[in-house]
Amino acid sequence: MDKNKWERVEQLFNAGLELPIHEREQFWKRECNNDKTILTQLRQLLIGHHLAEQDNVLDKPVWALTDIDNYLNHQNLVGQLVNGYKVTSLLSHGSMGEIFIANKPPLTREVVIKTISD
């Protein structure tokens, strides 16, 4: 998608968020002249937006204290699912603990999980 089209998607998405839920789809269809590419992007952004709101991903720690006990036996977390986060790689390790990179599908941003040694 070219830069101008993406800017249009962003503009329509933000404008649509200001509308009542039942008016968004018709607004987007009207404003993008039923362009399927733009409509698909708008719908995907809305799904991600709702998932982030429901999950409160920015307000919660990566895992709950009850989950930590399951991972303190020094097993390798790479490839494992921790509270919905897929651990993709080990970033660093040292005497204080280990740092892992993870993500939570369908979101694409990466997070850091740090474990502390005993």
Side-chain angles (χ1 to χ4, degrees):
M1 181 177 293
D2 67 32
K3 183 180 176 187
N4 291 336
K5 203 169 209 179
W6 177 247
E7 287 174 355
R8 182 69 178 144
V9 167
E10 185 177 16
Q11 181 184 42
L12 287 173
F13 180 73
N14 289 326
L17 288 181
E18 300 295 321
L19 298 173
I21 293 170
H22 64 278
E23 294 178 15
R24 284 183 191 149
E25 184 76 13
Q26 289 304 317
F27 168 75
W28 286 338
K29 284 181 180 178
R30 183 179 62 248
E31 291 298 314
C32 71
N33 297 318
N34 285 317
D35 181 319
K36 301 286 187 215
T37 305
I38 292 177
L39 279 172
T40 299
Q41 286 297 318
L42 289 167
R43 291 172 183 149
Q44 288 175 345
L45 285 170
L46 188 61
I47 290 168
H49 178 77
H50 285 308
L51 288 173
E53 278 183 341
Q54 291 170 1
D55 205 18
N56 294 323
V57 294
L58 299 179
D59 296 333
K60 292 195 290 187
V62 172
W63 55 30
L65 288 176
T66 55
D67 294 328
I68 292 174
D69 289 337
N70 297 327
Y71 299 100
L72 286 181
N73 60 3
H74 304 290
Q75 64 182 355
N76 187 353
L77 294 181
V78 176
Q80 294 193 41
L81 203 60
V82 178
N83 199 31
Y85 287 82
K86 175 78 173 187
V87 180
T88 57
S89 64
L90 175 67
L91 180 64
S92 179
H93 63 88
S95 61
M96 295 293 290
E98 296 175 314
I99 301 171
F100 297 91
I101 301 293
N103 60 38
K104 188 169 188 177
L107 304 176
T108 56
R109 71 178 173 88
E110 292 182 320
V111 298
V112 174
I113 296 175
K114 183 173 185 179
T115 61
I116 300 171
S117 297
D118 293 340

